[in-house]
Amino acid sequence: MTPAVTDETTLLAVLAPFAAAAVAPILTKWLKHNAAWPLAVIPALVFLHFCGFVGPVSKGETFVAAVAWAPSYGVNFSVYVDGLSALFALLISGIGTFIILYAGGYLKGHPQQGRFFSFLFLFMGAMLGLVLGNNLISLFIFWELTSITSFLLIGFDHLRAASRRAAIQALVVTGGGGLLLLAGFIFIISATGEIEMSVLLSSPDIVKETGLYLPIFLLVLGGAFTKSAQFPFHFWLPNAMEAPTPVSAFLHSATMVKAGVYLLMRMHPLLGDTALWTTVLPLFGGVTLLVGTILAVRQTDLKLMLAYTTVASLGLLVMLTGTSYEKALEGAALYLLAHSLFKGALFMVAGTIDHEAGTRDITKLGGLRSAMPVTFAAACLAGLSMAGLPPFIGFIAKEVLYYGTWGWPEFGLLITITAVLGNALMLVIAAAVAIKPFFGPKIETPKHAHEGPVLLFAGPVVLSVTGLVLAFMAHTTGILFVGPTLSSLVGTFTQVDLHLWPTKINAPLILSLITVVTGAVLFTQLDKLRALVAGVLTSIGWGPDKGFDQVIASIVSFSGWLTRRLQNGKMQTYMFMTFVFAGFAVLLPGYLTNSFPDMPKIPDYRFYEWGIFAIAVMGLIAVLIAKTRLTAIVSLGIQGFAVAVIFMMFGAPDLSFTQFMVETLSVVILALVMTRLNLSPKDPRTRLSALVTGVIAASVGLGLTLTLLAITQQPFDSRLSDFFTEYSRAIAHGRNIVNVILVDFRGFDTLGEIAVVALAGLCVLALIRVRTKPDKPQQAAVQPNPGEAR
């Protein structure tokens, strides 16, 4: 179905958070933390706008809107609204509304709260631009903008070394993956000739039919895996918990970390359902699921426990997406929705506990249900959904994904076992987060625990209750949200039929019972399990997090070594490297493309013209055989003057005059400088070194010669010459075209050159005026008079 063109209101909805970012500091300065209320209206209006697409999208309709951004490069600011992008837009704006409110209560009284609001809105706008992006280049720009804004948010508490390290780590990993993604997009554009996602999706096999499928697949996976913290790039996400809790609840549960999953889902019609896709994605997704849940068991910090289970959930989504099996894809779409709701709520619960009790350590918490009843209720609802228990949306998602893994004909049994183990361990963490802080004897906490303000508990309550409501409205949830998302993944309009309660005893139900029983048993042994995992990890010692530090240290060490070798203060080294790379630059393209120019015919010159050429050659020979630098400079002047005569003979007197002036000044100035230096005829180079430098110089000369020949053998395009000829007199009022070009058409360029020369002259003058102050003569030590000494 051809996408319908929507109005520019959708484009304004994407840009609205950027406008809010501009006014947030001003409102916060006036209203303090209460600025959260008017600021939350912006994402709420964006949410309502995208709610208007739910009905049409559920019927299979899609929409596009665009304005020209950089039309000469084919880059438009365009959006594409279908089931997948609409769901993400609703999650970003809907959860973002409560994150803004939560940030108002969480950072109450913080001197930089306005800046924090601004960063949140910048990130929200970047995420909306990413998930709604239709143009590949604009999508990439928003992709990298999420990395930059997350860097600002993770490092918000920049006075702490741990925050700075986590921010840099996240930026390096996700930003590096973004560069891989850019390369993948460039390959797609060059291979298909298309730059709009909606056009590519209309021909799903267009990428698979190209010979660049493998590099495109690997590059896209590099961007997705780093963004969504897939093993072995999972380490940056738990470290990002150094950020304030509103960041964790927004970026690291519902939005940024799912950008990679979004990309894989979006690219599934183009890259999916191949042997490579259905092997690599389930493998890495399954490993990430198990690694994330096992590492979560080791933790006692509430946020870290939730962070590692987020890594596991992302692995589960990648594993399901990698099957290319429709029922598994349906489970991925539903679990995407469920996870965003319960994990966002639980992160805010963890932050509220820390804010009101003064600690997030689960071993130092207990008996808080009476002191924090609303937070306790929200934690129970979200925890039950995370555990996959009825009657919550998490239970339905688990049933559907088990249906998909069990029915996958390729490696169904293997990924089903992986999913059961991962979900059982996630049930353990869900129970620990929802039960441990609130039940048992009351433990004294650093702060007197009490219920937080409405700004803190509004988000957890609404999100956890929404997970319950969507489960009771399972059929409607399937029609409005899951079905359209699944249609985007498979590339054709598909409807789903969800039910809260299983209609019969089947394999998914049995697998759910096994998951619950296994999780309950493991929860009773949580302390022993934590000690076991900690012991194993301690014995291993090394991990990707340490590996990251080692890689960064190696890069810094190598950079220092390379800088010391190349930037050693010796002009000879600088010239050598310059000519080496110049030689590669002029010779390598011709060698790779086998496109060297034809050798020109020897022209019929007069005898005196050949004489001038002979003088130039003799000057060159004189330079090569000169014993001293001064002789070489004078000999170089011979060649320069010969070239000036050649210019004059072939009808360029102004250029010839310039060449005469330059050569005269160069020889005089260099000769004067050389009289102040050591003119010893000794050449410090060995014969091998002289041979190497000679080969490099000859290569550069040959390369430049071939380049000029290739240029002159092309058809001459006279449009620019005709322009200058026609308008030099009419517009610039000058007869000398060269002068007009220099002082009029390229006036600013000439002004810049004059400024550079003037600045260099001032620097030389300053150096000349520097005088080393003579040391003051030391006064002779006064010997004491023996008589006075008495």
Side-chain angles (χ1 to χ4, degrees):
M1 182 180 293
T2 304
V5 179
T6 185
D7 56 32
E8 296 180 356
T9 308
T10 303
L11 299 175
L12 295 177
V14 176
L15 298 176
F18 294 103
V23 302
I26 300 173
L27 279 179
T28 307
K29 185 176 181 180
W30 293 344
L31 303 176
K32 307 301 180 184
H33 69 281
N34 288 317
W37 294 104
L39 288 174
V41 173
I42 304 297
L45 292 176
V46 175
F47 177 81
L48 292 176
H49 173 77
F50 285 105
C51 283
F53 288 101
V54 172
V57 166
S58 65
K59 298 176 183 177
E61 297 183 38
T62 58
F63 301 88
V64 294
V67 294
W69 190 355
S72 59
Y73 294 99
V75 179
N76 298 322
F77 174 42
S78 57
V79 298
Y80 176 59
V81 183
D82 65 347
L84 179 63
S85 58
L87 176 62
F88 267 94
L90 290 172
L91 291 174
I92 293 165
S93 56
I95 297 177
T97 300
F98 294 101
I99 292 297
I100 295 298
L101 295 176
Y102 187 83
Y106 192 85
L107 275 80
K108 179 181 179 181
H110 195 288
Q112 298 296 329
Q113 189 176 35
R115 182 164 62 95
F116 186 78
F117 278 134
S118 184
F119 291 166
L120 276 178
F121 277 116
L122 287 174
F123 173 81
M124 188 185 301
M127 274 302 303
L128 286 173
L130 190 161
V131 300
L132 293 164
N134 188 29
N135 187 278
L136 293 181
I137 300 302
S138 63
L139 189 155
F140 164 76
I141 292 173
F142 285 115
W143 179 281
E144 289 295 74
L145 187 57
T146 61
S147 296
I148 295 171
T149 51
S150 69
F151 167 80
L152 297 174
L153 288 166
I154 295 170
F156 179 73
D157 190 5
H158 57 274
L159 297 179
R160 295 174 56 246
S163 296
R164 297 195 299 270
R165 177 183 181 273
I168 292 173
Q169 188 179 71
L171 181 64
V172 170
V173 175
T174 60
L179 297 179
L180 296 178
L181 180 62
L182 175 61
F185 282 171
I186 292 174
F187 274 126
I188 291 175
I189 296 170
S190 62
T192 65
E194 301 293 345
I195 198 172
E196 299 289 327
M197 185 68 75
S198 57
V199 178
L200 291 169
L201 292 174
S202 64
S203 303
D205 295 328
I206 190 172
V207 176
K208 299 174 188 176
E209 293 172 353
T210 68
L212 297 176
Y213 174 81
L214 178 60
I216 291 172
F217 171 80
L218 294 176
L219 292 169
V220 169
L221 245 62
F225 278 15
T226 52
K227 202 76 159 184
S228 285
Q230 296 301 288
F231 180 87
F233 306 107
H234 63 283
F235 54 88
W236 73 264
L237 196 155
N239 290 336
M241 295 302 107
E242 296 294 337
T245 300
V247 177
S248 304
F250 194 35
L251 276 67
H252 307 132
S253 64
T255 54
M256 176 183 168
V257 293
K258 286 196 174 73
V261 174
Y262 165 81
L263 180 67
L264 294 175
M265 290 181 169
R266 172 59 74 208
M267 302 295 287
H268 180 267
L270 300 174
L271 303 177
D273 201 17
T274 65
L276 196 60
W277 179 278
T278 56
T279 301
V280 175
L281 267 68
L283 174 61
F284 279 89
V287 171
T288 304
L289 169 60
L290 296 179
V291 169
T293 50
I294 292 171
L295 293 178
V297 170
R298 181 193 184 188
Q299 307 302 321
T300 58
D301 185 296
L302 288 173
K303 280 181 65 175
L304 285 177
M305 295 168 73
L306 294 173
Y308 278 109
T309 55
T310 298
V311 171
S313 297
L314 295 171
L316 178 58
L317 287 169
V318 170
M319 184 178 73
L320 295 172
T321 304
T323 64
S324 295
Y325 180 55
E326 185 170 317
K327 202 64 179 181
L329 295 175
E330 180 184 339
L334 184 54
Y335 188 79
L336 171 73
L337 173 61
H339 177 265
S340 298
L341 295 174
F342 67 67
K343 192 58 67 70
L346 288 175
F347 264 116
M348 285 189 270
V349 166
T352 302
I353 292 173
D354 185 28
H355 192 271
E356 304 302 333
T359 181
R360 298 194 306 260
D361 192 334
I362 200 170
T363 63
K364 299 178 181 179
L365 293 169
L368 295 178
R369 65 183 184 278
S370 59
M372 306 176 69
V374 179
T375 303
F376 165 63
C380 286
L381 295 177
L384 289 170
S385 184
M386 178 178 173
L389 298 176
F392 294 91
I393 192 69
F395 169 73
I396 306 175
K398 187 177 62 177
E399 292 290 301
V400 176
L401 71 88
Y402 279 157
Y403 195 105
T405 59
W406 185 257
W408 188 36
E410 301 295 331
F411 303 100
L413 178 61
L414 183 60
I415 68 167
T416 298
I417 294 173
T418 303
V420 169
L421 290 176
N423 281 324
L425 290 174
M426 276 199 274
L427 186 148
V428 173
I429 303 302
V433 173
I435 294 175
K436 288 281 188 179
F438 299 100
F439 287 90
K442 186 174 182 180
I443 300 176
E444 291 298 323
T445 54
K447 294 169 64 175
H448 176 66
H450 59 279
E451 189 61 77
V454 64
L455 287 172
L456 290 181
F457 66 69
V461 169
V462 172
L463 294 182
S464 57
V465 171
T466 301
L468 181 63
V469 172
L470 291 179
F472 281 113
M473 301 171 56
H475 182 70
T476 304
T477 300
I479 293 175
L480 296 182
F481 302 111
V482 181
T485 304
L486 179 61
S487 300
S488 299
L489 269 65
V490 299
T492 57
F493 179 66
T494 307
Q495 291 182 317
V496 300
D497 186 17
L498 298 180
H499 300 280
L500 175 57
W501 304 107
T503 56
K504 60 181 179 179
I505 299 177
N506 51 23
L509 180 59
I510 296 173
L511 292 172
S512 291
L513 294 174
I514 294 174
T515 301
V516 173
V517 172
T518 304
V521 171
L522 292 176
F523 176 70
T524 61
Q525 306 297 318
L526 178 58
D527 293 336
K528 295 180 179 179
L529 191 61
R530 182 184 298 122
L532 175 63
V533 174
V536 173
L537 294 176
T538 301
S539 63
I540 295 174
W542 187 89
D545 189 39
K546 287 185 178 180
F548 174 83
D549 291 335
Q550 292 168 349
V551 170
I552 295 299
S554 299
I555 293 174
V556 172
S557 177
F558 174 74
S559 300
W561 173 83
L562 188 63
T563 301
R564 289 190 297 271
R565 292 297 299 271
L566 300 183
Q567 302 292 331
N568 55 9
K570 297 180 179 179
M571 180 63 70
Q572 183 179 358
T573 302
Y574 301 156
M575 296 297 293
F576 179 82
M577 297 307 300
T578 300
F579 275 87
V580 166
F581 284 102
F584 274 109
V586 294
L587 284 176
L588 192 59
Y591 174 77
L592 294 177
T593 59
N594 195 22
S595 57
F596 291 109
D598 299 329
M599 293 305 296
K601 297 180 180 179
I602 299 178
D604 185 17
Y605 289 139
R606 296 179 176 87
F607 73 93
Y608 57 86
E609 293 172 338
W610 282 112
I612 298 299
F613 283 112
I615 293 174
V617 173
M618 287 189 291
L620 176 61
I621 296 174
V623 172
L624 295 177
I625 65 176
K627 297 298 184 181
T628 65
R629 294 183 177 89
L630 187 59
T631 305
I633 292 171
V634 175
S635 302
L636 191 63
I638 297 173
Q639 186 189 31
F641 282 115
V643 172
V645 173
I646 292 173
F647 288 154
M648 184 164 51
M649 288 192 304
F650 286 91
D654 49 354
L655 187 58
S656 176
F657 175 75
T658 304
Q659 180 74 11
F660 274 121
M661 295 297 297
V662 170
E663 287 298 327
T664 302
L665 291 174
S666 298
V667 171
V668 172
I669 293 173
L670 288 174
L672 290 174
V673 171
M674 285 298 173
T675 60
R676 304 292 299 274
L677 301 177
N678 181 12
L679 300 179
S680 172
K682 181 180 178 181
D683 189 348
R685 297 177 300 173
T686 64
R687 289 187 177 182
L688 178 61
S689 177
L691 178 62
V692 171
T693 53
V695 170
I696 293 173
S699 300
V700 174
L702 176 63
L704 291 174
T705 301
L706 293 176
T707 302
L708 291 174
L709 287 175
I711 293 173
T712 55
Q713 289 176 8
Q714 297 298 318
F716 179 68
D717 186 351
S718 63
R719 287 179 297 173
L720 192 59
S721 301
D722 296 340
F723 172 83
F724 288 135
T725 302
E726 181 178 358
Y727 293 106
S728 293
R729 176 66 175 166
I731 297 178
H733 308 290
R735 298 182 183 276
N736 190 316
I737 297 178
V738 175
N739 290 347
V740 169
I741 293 174
L742 291 175
V743 302
D744 197 305
F745 291 113
R746 292 180 54 199
F748 283 109
D749 185 29
T750 304
L751 179 62
E753 294 172 355
I754 294 172
V756 170
V757 173
L759 182 60
L762 291 174
C763 293
V764 171
L765 179 62
L767 291 174
I768 293 175
R769 294 176 63 88
V770 171
R771 293 288 186 270
T772 303
K773 296 181 179 179
D775 296 334
K776 293 181 179 180
Q778 296 181 354
Q779 296 180 355
V782 179
Q783 300 294 330
N785 190 323
E788 293 178 354
R790 298 189 185 98

